[in-house]
Amino acid sequence: MPRLCPDRAPAAFGLGAFLAAMTLAAGALAQTSPPAFPENGSFDPPGGQGVLIPEDGGEAPSLMPRNVPTFGNPPAHGASKTGFDSTNARRKIQSSVERKNERQPLPRVVTTQITPVQRLPPTPVVLPARPADPDTTASIAPPYAPTQARPKPKQPAIDPYEPLGIRAGSFLLRPAIDLSFGYDSNPGRDATPKGSPFYVVAPELQAKSDWERHEFRAKIRGSYDGYTEQPSLNRPYFDSVLDGRIDVTSQTRVELQNRVKVATDTPGTPEFVADVAKPTLYTNIGGTAGLFHRFNRLEVGGKASIDRTRYEDSELTDGTTLSNGDRSFTAYGLELRGSYEMTPGVKPFVAVAVDQRVHDAADPRLCQCGESFVERDSQGLTPRIGTTFELSRQLNGDVSIGYMTRRYEDPQLQDLKGVIADASLIWSATALTKVTFTARTSVYESTEREISGVLSRDFGAQVDHAFRDWLIGTLKFGYGLDDYVGSLRIDQRLSAAAGLTYKMNRNVQLKGEVRREQRNSNAAGEDYAAHIVMLGLRLQH
C-alpha cells in the first residue's frame, strides 16, 4: 500500500477541524432556551430592531438582529388562545406569573434618529377647501381657509296677526267685517256744513284658488253708510271683482275678469248732481278678456273689454223726478300691450288703448237745452309707456305716463286732452316702516251742457309704522286736481288723516282715525271743509 505524501497531511487535518466546528455550531443553534438579559442594560423585544443601551452611559453596541427571521406562516398562526388549532397540538397552560409579566409595560426602546438633509422649501400648493369632520372636537384650526357658504335668501317676514283663512276644497277664503261709528262735520260736502253722527257696516270676502295650474281670485266688498241726523245721505255700496287666469301652455295664458259695482254719486265729487233729495244710484257691469304670449323675455298680447253703466232716475228736492238716460252709456275698449323683461325685477312696457262710449238714445228726455240735443258719444285714444319693477324687496310696483285724447261727436263739446300718470309704488323703508305712493287719472262724464268732461288727477301717500307687531300707526296725505274741460273751473282737493290699529289677535282688531277733507275751487260757492272722527272694530278670519 502506498504511503501518503507529506504535503497532504495538513489538508486532511484541516478538513477534520472544519467538520468538528460545524458539529459544535449545529448544537448551539439547536438550543431552544432564550438568551439571558444582560445584568446592566435593556434589551429590545423580540422582532424589534432596538439596541442595547448600557445604564452607565457607555457606548452602544452595533446594531445586530436578535431573532432569526422566519418565512411563511407556521401552522395555526391565526388561532387565538381559545380558537381552533388545526395541528391538534396540546396547548401550554399559562401560569399567573406569565400573565402578570404580559401585563407589564414593555422596556424602553430608543430608536436611532436620522437628521434630514436641509433643502429649499417647496412651492406651497393650495389645497381645495373641504368641509370639517363633524366628529372632530379639537380646536386646532385647519391649515387651509374653509369656503364660506352662500347666504340663503331672506324669507319675507310672517305677520303673526295675519288671518289664517278658511279652507274650502282647493280655495282659501278670508271673510271679514268692519263695524265703525263716528262723527262727520259736513257729510253733504256743502259750503254751509251741517254735521251728523254716522255708522258704517262693511262686510268683505276674499278668495284664492290653490291649483297647480290656472288661478282664480275674488274680492267682494259691500258697505252701508248711515247718517242718523241726515238719512237722505245714506249710501249703499257693493263692489265685486273676479279674476281668472287660464294657462293654455307654459308660454300662453288667457286672462279673464268680471266686474260688478252698485254705488251712488258721492257728495263733493264731479259727477254728483245738485238739488237731489238723495244720492242717485247707478250700476256698472263689465268684463275683460285678454290673450298674452311670451317669446323668451318678450311678451305681447291684448285685451278687450265692455262695460255697461246705467243710472237710476234722480229724485229732486222739489218732489220731481229727473231722467238720467243721457248719463247711461256703454263703453267698448281694446288695448294692445308689449313688454320686455330686462332683468328679473324690471319689465318695461308699451301700451296703446282705444275706447268708445255710446250713450243711450232710446230715452226721449236726453239732456237738452232748447230744441237741440247734446250728443255725448265719444272716442278715446291713450298711448302709454311705463315699467313694473321689484328691487330687492324694498321698492316694487308699477309706473306709467301717457297722453289721452277724447273726441266728442257733438261739435258743441270741446275735445278732452291731457297728460295722464298712473303709479302704485310700495317702499319698505325699514323693517317697521312702509310707504305707499299712488297716482291715478280718471275721466268723468258731466251733466253740464258746456262741460265736455272732468279730467281728474289724484295723488296719495301713506306711511305705516309698526310701533309693535300689534300696534300700527298710519299717516295719509292726498291731493286731487279736477279740470272741468270746456270751462274755467278748476278744483283742488286736499286730505290728511292719522290712524291707529290695535291688533288684539288674528281675528279681532280695533281702529281709530281722524281725517280732514277740503276743497278749494275758483267757482263761487264750491268750497267746503269736513272733519271726521271714527272708531271701528274689524272681525276677520
Side-chain angles (χ1 to χ4, degrees):
M1 181 174 182
R3 301 177 60 184
L4 296 175
C5 297
D7 55 350
R8 295 181 178 179
F13 179 79
L15 179 60
F18 176 75
L19 294 176
M22 290 297 294
T23 304
L24 293 176
L29 293 176
Q31 64 180 359
T32 58
S33 59
F37 287 89
E39 297 181 358
N40 297 327
S42 59
F43 191 79
D44 60 324
Q49 297 297 328
V51 296
L52 183 65
I53 305 298
E55 294 184 356
D56 57 356
E59 183 178 358
S62 59
L63 298 175
M64 294 184 63
R66 295 291 182 151
N67 298 327
V68 178
T70 58
F71 302 94
N73 297 326
H77 75 282
S80 63
K81 296 180 180 180
T82 60
F84 173 75
D85 187 357
S86 59
T87 61
N88 200 21
R90 186 174 182 179
R91 297 181 182 275
K92 180 181 178 181
I93 301 176
Q94 191 177 23
S95 64
S96 61
V97 176
E98 293 176 347
R99 289 195 299 269
K100 181 178 180 181
N101 293 336
E102 287 185 357
R103 291 193 296 268
Q104 291 181 356
L106 297 177
R108 182 174 59 91
V109 178
V110 178
T111 58
T112 304
Q113 297 182 357
I114 301 176
T115 304
V117 179
Q118 298 292 335
R119 297 181 180 180
L120 295 177
T123 304
V125 179
V126 180
L127 299 177
R130 59 183 180 183
D133 188 357
D135 298 333
T136 302
T137 58
S139 59
I140 301 177
Y144 53 86
T147 303
Q148 296 183 358
R150 179 179 298 179
K152 295 182 179 180
K154 295 183 178 180
Q155 299 294 333
I158 300 176
D159 186 1
Y161 295 93
E162 182 180 1
L164 300 178
I166 302 174
R167 281 286 179 180
S170 59
F171 291 90
L172 180 62
L173 308 180
R174 297 181 184 271
I177 184 171
D178 288 314
L179 305 174
S180 307
F181 66 93
Y183 182 83
D184 192 337
S185 64
N186 188 4
R189 304 299 186 265
D190 296 327
T192 56
K194 181 181 178 181
S196 172
F198 70 92
Y199 60 91
V200 179
V201 180
E204 69 175 55
L205 174 64
Q206 297 184 19
K208 179 182 178 181
S209 64
D210 190 11
W211 302 333
E212 183 178 356
R213 293 184 58 192
H214 320 302
E215 186 182 28
F216 175 81
R217 291 175 178 266
K219 186 174 182 180
I220 304 173
R221 188 177 190 276
S223 67
Y224 185 85
D225 298 5
Y227 296 88
T228 58
E229 296 185 4
Q230 299 187 42
S232 60
L233 297 178
N234 295 351
R235 301 190 304 271
Y237 179 83
F238 175 81
D239 187 18
S240 171
V241 179
L242 308 180
D243 290 298
R245 189 192 75 240
I246 302 176
D247 298 326
V248 181
T249 65
S250 59
Q251 304 294 331
T252 306
R253 71 180 187 275
V254 175
E255 295 184 357
L256 303 173
Q257 185 182 82
N258 172 260
R259 301 176 294 273
V260 177
K261 184 177 181 180
V262 179
T264 62
D265 293 337
T266 304
T269 57
E271 71 272 12
F272 186 77
V273 180
D275 300 331
V276 294
K278 62 180 182 180
T280 304
L281 185 70
Y282 69 90
T283 304
N284 176 270
I285 301 176
T288 301
L291 177 64
F292 295 88
H293 185 77
R294 188 180 182 90
F295 302 91
N296 198 359
R297 294 187 177 185
L298 177 65
E299 183 179 86
V300 295
K303 58 183 179 180
S305 62
I306 179 173
D307 290 90
R308 168 65 179 171
T309 303
R310 183 179 182 276
Y311 283 83
E312 302 291 338
D313 295 341
S314 301
E315 299 180 7
L316 303 181
T317 54
D318 58 2
T320 61
T321 301
L322 176 63
S323 174
N324 289 311
D326 59 323
R327 301 182 62 188
S328 302
F329 65 92
T330 304
Y332 306 92
L334 178 64
E335 180 180 6
L336 300 179
R337 180 184 176 114
S339 60
Y340 183 80
E341 186 177 9
M342 299 182 61
T343 65
V346 179
K347 191 175 182 180
F349 66 88
V350 178
V352 178
V354 294
D355 69 279
Q356 182 177 8
R357 295 181 178 180
V358 180
H359 288 71
D360 292 351
D363 196 332
R365 293 175 294 179
L366 295 175
C367 180
Q368 56 181 339
C369 180
E371 297 180 356
S372 62
F373 292 92
V374 177
E375 296 290 343
R376 294 191 174 273
D377 296 347
S378 61
Q379 296 83 32
L381 175 64
T382 307
R384 292 184 302 144
I385 59 173
T387 182
T388 61
F389 53 87
E390 180 180 357
L391 304 178
S392 303
R393 296 186 179 272
Q394 292 185 349
L395 182 63
N396 61 83
D398 60 88
V399 59
S400 66
I401 187 171
Y403 190 83
M404 181 181 60
T405 303
R406 179 164 296 279
R407 185 177 62 85
Y408 292 89
E409 296 290 343
D410 198 322
Q412 304 177 65
L413 300 177
Q414 179 181 344
D415 292 347
L416 193 151
K417 301 178 181 179
V419 178
I420 62 172
D422 296 282
S424 176
L425 307 177
I426 300 177
W427 175 38
S428 299
T430 65
L432 303 177
T433 305
K434 182 178 67 174
V435 183
T436 304
F437 299 95
T438 57
R440 184 182 63 181
T441 303
S442 306
V443 176
Y444 298 100
E445 296 290 317
S446 175
T447 58
E448 301 293 334
R449 177 180 177 84
E450 69 278 3
I451 298 177
S452 304
V454 181
L455 180 61
S456 179
R457 300 182 178 92
D458 293 273
F459 305 92
Q462 177 175 332
V463 181
D464 296 310
H465 181 76
F467 300 100
R468 294 291 187 271
D469 291 342
W470 44 267
L471 188 62
I472 311 298
T474 303
L475 292 177
K476 298 179 182 179
F477 303 94
Y479 175 78
L481 182 65
D482 299 329
D483 183 8
Y484 291 77
V485 179
S487 68
L488 300 178
R489 179 181 173 180
I490 295 179
D491 295 346
Q492 296 183 9
R493 293 174 284 107
L494 303 173
S495 64
L500 194 65
T501 302
Y502 171 56
K503 300 180 180 180
M504 301 180 63
N505 50 50
R506 292 183 181 270
N507 301 326
V508 182
Q509 297 180 3
L510 298 178
K511 296 183 178 182
E513 185 181 68
V514 178
R515 184 171 71 250
R516 173 182 170 84
E517 297 180 3
Q518 180 179 345
R519 181 174 68 184
N520 299 325
S521 177
N522 57 2
E526 298 296 337
D527 296 347
Y528 71 81
H531 298 84
I532 301 98
V533 179
M534 182 176 61
L535 296 176
L537 173 67
R538 179 178 176 85
L539 305 177
Q540 60 186 7
H541 196 286

